[in-house]
């Protein structure tokens, strides 16, 4: 499930290391709250040890305690002005702790967008330097997303950052998901298969010492969780990828049920009440869509959906169907704005009109389970 329709996208993905603030932002903290934070950060010391040698102990006047609960929160507060700086260039961005991504479309004005995002990146770099932060060019990545023909038109892109040339990467890892330049999800699928096979082999070794219930719990916690993580991005991926992932789940079911390699997996999946991989993807997107329709969250997804309102008052007006968006390409049909209405509208009316998320999940799983194992 891609957030928007596929278009050529240019991303600069860089990471920074926190040092010390020069112009800290103001958040209205005063009184005891400010005193608590001050006492938490002040009066700390550090030294450097290398083998048996140790430096003198010096007062720590910068940074936050690494591994602390408040550390990421205080760091996020400090770098929050970067968001306003990036928006002033008209560039879209994401921030995750000390990781920041800049991205823009090259579909219409390619050269202008490329120059704009480069200038924005340099401005961010200057802000970091002026405020005691250091961006690491060796950890900076740039990539172009699009169709093969679109990417071929922009092979000459050579972004520079902090006077360092950044090579275009064919894949980039964001929040544990490996995205390739054509968004085929081949790299992510290969990563899931490699990791899942390792854990399945480990589970097979200890399976004789486990009960079926315990083996099922371990399988769901270690392997199925990997199949489910961000699996909405796999909507519309190739049948080859879906087959590879389904093979993983089939082998896992055989291990949990202590069955041979030749045992048919479908009865095993049914006995374990596991949805097949394809249905698990639909399940995830349907839940996200339900939250968008009922709670309008997250807003960046709910804004893409529109409840269908008939021109006349009809019996179907209360069915809460969504407006369908036509896509000119197969790749674009994988986007959330296209996939979510199709999946949502195909659900039974009673399921769509569920009054609570728990009820919706129950009806949804029953529907998908019936389709997968009895259809």
């Amino acid at each position: 499930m891609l957030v928007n329709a596929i278009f050529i996208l240019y991303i600069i993905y860089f990471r920074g290391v926190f040092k010390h603030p020069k112009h800290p932002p103001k958040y209205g903290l005063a009184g005891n709250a400010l005193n608590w934070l001050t006492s938490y950060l002040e009066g700390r010391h550090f030294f450097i040890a290398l083998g048996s040698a140790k430096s003198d102990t010096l007062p720590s006047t910068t940074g936050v305690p690494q591994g602390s609960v408040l550390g990421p929160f205080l760091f996020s507060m400090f770098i929050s002005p970067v968001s306003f700086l990036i928006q002033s260039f008209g560039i879209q961005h994401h921030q995750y702790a000390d990781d920041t991504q800049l991205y823009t479309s090259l579909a219409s004005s390619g050269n202008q967008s490329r120059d704009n995002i480069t200038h924005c990146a340099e401005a961010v770099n200057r802000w970091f330097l002026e405020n005691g932060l250091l961006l690491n060019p060796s950890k900076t990545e740039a990539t172009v997303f699009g169709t093969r023909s679109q990417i071929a038109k922009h092979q000459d892109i050579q972004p520079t950052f902090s006077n360092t040339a950044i090579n275009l990467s064919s894949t980039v890892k964001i929040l544990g998901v490996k995205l390739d330049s054509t968004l085929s999800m081949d790299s992510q699928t290969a990563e899931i298969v490699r990791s899942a096979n390792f854990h399945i082999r480990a589970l097979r070794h200890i399976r004789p010492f486990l009960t079926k219930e315990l083996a099922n719990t371990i399988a769901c916690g270690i392997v199925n969780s990997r199949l489910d993580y961000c699996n909405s991005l796999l909507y519309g991926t190739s049948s080859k990828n879906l087959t590879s992932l389904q093979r993983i789940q089939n082998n896992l079911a055989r291990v949990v049920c202590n069955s041979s390699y030749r045992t048919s997996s479908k009865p095993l999946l049914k006995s374990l009440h596991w949805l097949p991989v394809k249905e698990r993807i639909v399940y995830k997107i349907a839940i996200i869509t339900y939250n968008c329709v009922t709670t309008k969250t997250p807003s960046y997804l709910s804004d893409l959906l529109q409840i269908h309102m008939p021109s006349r008052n009809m019996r179907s007006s209360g069915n809460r169907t969504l407006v369908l968006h036509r896509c000119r390409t197969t790749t674009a049909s994988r986007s959330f704005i296209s996939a979510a209405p199709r999946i949502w509208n195909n659900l039974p009316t009673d399921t769509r009109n569920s009054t609570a998320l728990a009820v919706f999940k129950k009806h949804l799983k029953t529907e998908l389970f019936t389709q997968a194992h009895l259809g």
Side-chain angles (χ1 to χ4, degrees):
M1 177 201 67
L2 307 174
V3 171
N4 267 315
I6 301 300
F7 52 84
I8 191 159
L9 199 64
Y10 179 32
I11 286 186
I12 293 181
Y13 179 55
F14 52 83
R15 296 172 179 172
V17 180
F18 179 62
K19 281 191 171 181
H20 62 84
K22 181 179 179 183
H23 303 294
K26 297 180 179 179
Y27 286 92
L29 289 174
N32 288 335
L34 182 59
N35 293 334
W36 288 338
L37 289 177
T38 301
S39 65
Y40 174 73
L41 296 173
E42 287 186 345
R44 296 183 179 271
H45 296 77
F46 74 97
F47 65 87
I48 299 174
L50 180 60
S52 59
K54 188 175 73 171
S55 69
D56 296 333
T57 300
L58 299 173
S60 177
T61 59
T62 62
V64 295
Q66 188 174 5
S68 63
V69 175
L70 284 178
F73 179 70
L74 293 174
F75 179 82
S76 299
M77 290 174 61
F78 176 76
I79 66 170
S80 61
V82 175
S83 176
F84 300 101
L85 174 63
I86 296 173
Q87 290 175 9
S88 68
F89 285 85
I91 299 294
Q92 295 178 299
H93 72 288
H94 289 149
Q95 287 182 284
Y96 311 101
D98 63 341
D99 296 348
T100 302
Q101 301 164 20
L102 311 180
Y103 60 97
T104 188
S105 172
L106 301 179
S108 54
S109 54
N111 292 333
Q112 182 179 353
S113 298
R114 286 160 54 178
D115 294 340
N116 195 27
I117 197 172
T118 300
H119 296 155
C120 180
E122 291 297 341
V124 171
N125 184 40
R126 286 195 302 271
W127 188 94
F128 277 29
L129 291 174
E130 291 172 359
N131 290 274
L133 294 112
L134 178 64
L135 293 177
N136 192 342
S138 65
K139 292 185 177 180
T140 300
E141 298 177 285
T143 188
V144 176
F145 291 126
T147 63
R148 300 186 192 280
S149 59
Q150 288 174 329
I151 294 173
K153 297 177 183 177
H154 298 275
Q155 288 297 324
D156 59 330
I157 290 180
Q158 185 64 62
T160 58
F161 175 69
S162 190
N163 296 324
T164 302
I166 307 299
N167 295 323
L168 289 180
S169 302
S170 58
T171 61
V172 62
K173 200 166 189 178
I174 301 177
L175 296 180
V177 178
K178 215 169 187 179
L179 300 176
D180 56 274
S181 56
T182 59
L183 295 176
S184 66
M185 305 306 294
D186 292 346
S187 299
Q188 173 66 4
T189 300
E191 187 78 9
I192 295 173
V193 170
R194 181 196 62 79
S195 176
N197 275 328
F198 172 82
H199 291 288
I200 290 175
R201 286 193 296 269
L203 180 59
R204 183 178 288 114
H205 286 310
I206 64 173
R207 177 63 184 89
F209 308 100
L210 305 175
T211 63
K212 183 178 179 179
E213 291 73 18
L214 183 55
N216 188 14
T217 301
I218 295 175
C220 292
I222 298 179
V223 180
N224 275 341
S225 61
R226 283 172 167 77
L227 293 175
D228 290 341
Y229 180 69
C230 293
N231 63 342
S232 56
L233 294 170
L234 297 171
Y235 180 81
T237 189
S238 65
S239 58
K240 177 183 176 182
N241 287 339
L242 290 177
T243 300
S244 298
L245 295 174
Q246 188 58 58
R247 189 179 297 116
I248 289 293
Q249 191 186 47
N250 294 345
N251 291 336
L252 181 64
R254 294 187 181 101
V255 173
V256 172
C257 295
N258 213 11
S259 303
S260 66
Y261 291 99
R262 297 183 179 180
T263 304
S264 176
S265 59
K266 194 168 184 178
L268 301 180
L269 295 176
K270 184 177 180 180
S271 67
L272 294 170
H273 298 281
W274 289 359
L275 289 174
V277 170
K278 187 175 181 180
E279 281 70 24
R280 294 172 92 95
I281 295 172
V282 173
Y283 180 83
K284 179 69 71 64
I285 298 176
I287 290 176
I288 296 174
T289 307
Y290 178 85
N291 288 328
C292 290
V293 171
T294 57
T295 66
K296 303 299 181 182
T297 57
S299 59
Y300 65 88
L301 291 181
S302 63
D303 291 344
L304 302 176
L305 305 179
Q306 182 181 356
I307 299 293
H308 176 66
M309 300 297 294
S311 57
R312 293 179 296 172
N313 189 14
M314 304 175 66
R315 207 181 323 176
S316 60
S317 300
N319 289 344
R320 289 206 303 183
T321 57
L322 298 174
V323 175
L324 294 173
H325 291 266
R326 294 182 179 179
C327 297
R328 292 181 294 178
T329 64
T330 303
T331 308
S333 65
R334 296 171 51 197
S335 62
F336 181 78
I337 195 174
S338 176
R342 289 201 306 273
I343 292 174
W344 179 260
N345 293 349
N346 286 332
L347 296 177
T349 303
D350 292 342
T351 302
R352 291 198 304 268
N353 291 331
S354 299
T355 56
L357 180 60
V359 177
F360 177 77
K361 287 182 176 180
K362 181 179 179 181
H363 291 170
L364 177 63
K365 184 172 182 180
T366 301
E367 177 71 18
L368 295 177
F369 190 85
T370 303
Q371 294 177 8
H373 296 291
L374 300 179

